[in-house]
Amino acid sequence: MRVLIVEDEAKTAAYLRKGLEENGFTTDVATDGETGLQFARHGGYDAIILDIMLPRRDGFEILAEIRRRDSHTAVLLLTARDQVTDRVAGLEAGADDYLVKPFAFSELLARVRTILRRGHARQPALIQIADLEIDLSGHRATRAGQALDLTPKEFRLLSLLARRAGDVISRTVIAEQVWDINFDSGTNVVDVHMYRLRAKLDDPFSRRLIHTVRGVGYVLEDRGG
């Protein structure tokens, strides 16, 4: 599970990162609103822990932008603003939960897990593209009724492409989301695994579903024909 922490207090951000990673989450941290929004726009986070009072852009602006583009990512507002009017404004703006500082980490962790469960319930368990079916809950994929024998990484790669079917996803984003590589390491791991995935998903069939966008990345979509 990937969590974005948007928090300008360095000690709080480090505390959240440490606690979440000890509990099996992968985290990114942004220390101002503009950077947080840029991170959020790249997508792929399961949850975002968002402060309200941030430099450059406040949490309400970021939340509004997230909800214009994405209704699935879980958002927890974590703030010192404790007025009822603030809580109501945050929840009505699309936050899944609201927690006031100071906070107990165990409570925050429980709330994050709860909103993640709700988020998964909102997402479809089955994605169909042409004759390809992906059962996200069961970790199975079939094409034209034939089971695809995918490794865990190949299934994760396919799931990422399928959840954003029709969108071109860059190699950098794929490397971040599937391998947690957050820098240009010069590795060709994405292309190698994409080659192997195509060999199973596309090569045995007449219609190709994975397409290369030269110089950018890959897209999964049914182009007919």
Side-chain angles (χ1 to χ4, degrees), residues 84-189:
V84 171
T85 52
D86 294 323
R87 300 181 195 188
V88 170
L91 294 170
E92 289 190 341
D96 295 275
D97 202 353
Y98 192 109
L99 185 60
V100 176
K101 300 175 183 174
F103 62 96
F105 181 79
S106 57
E107 181 182 359
L108 178 134
L109 182 62
R111 287 173 181 254
V112 168
R113 286 174 169 160
T114 297
I115 61 176
L116 283 170
R117 285 196 294 272
R118 290 184 201 144
H120 285 172
R122 289 198 298 266
Q123 294 180 16
L126 185 69
I127 297 176
Q128 179 155 5
I129 300 161
D131 57 355
L132 171 67
E133 285 192 357
I134 304 160
D135 180 352
L136 296 174
S137 299
H139 289 257
R140 292 186 294 269
T142 63
R143 183 153 185 200
Q146 301 177 33
L148 302 177
D149 183 18
L150 304 178
T151 67
K153 286 294 185 190
E154 289 164 355
F155 185 82
R156 193 169 174 181
L157 177 56
L158 176 60
S159 298
L160 172 63
L161 293 169
R163 285 198 299 267
R164 297 176 58 182
D167 293 341
V168 179
I169 307 178
S170 71
R171 289 176 176 81
T172 301
V173 169
I174 292 171
E176 288 175 354
Q177 299 298 311
V178 179
W179 285 273
D180 197 29
I181 298 173
N182 294 300
F183 54 92
D184 183 8
S185 65
T187 177
N188 64 346
V189 64

Side-chain angles (χ1 to χ4, degrees), residues 4 46-51 59 62-63 66-67 70-78 90-91 94-98 111-112 115-116 118 122:
L4 172 62
D46 298 290
I48 299 174
I49 297 174
L50 180 61
D51 193 3
I62 298 170
L63 178 59
I66 290 170
R67 286 296 175 247
D70 167 18
S71 61
H72 293 301
T73 304
V75 177
L76 169 68
L77 289 176
L78 180 64
L91 294 170
D96 295 275
D97 202 353
Y98 192 109
R111 287 173 181 254
V112 168
I115 61 176
L116 283 170
R118 290 184 201 144
R122 289 198 298 266

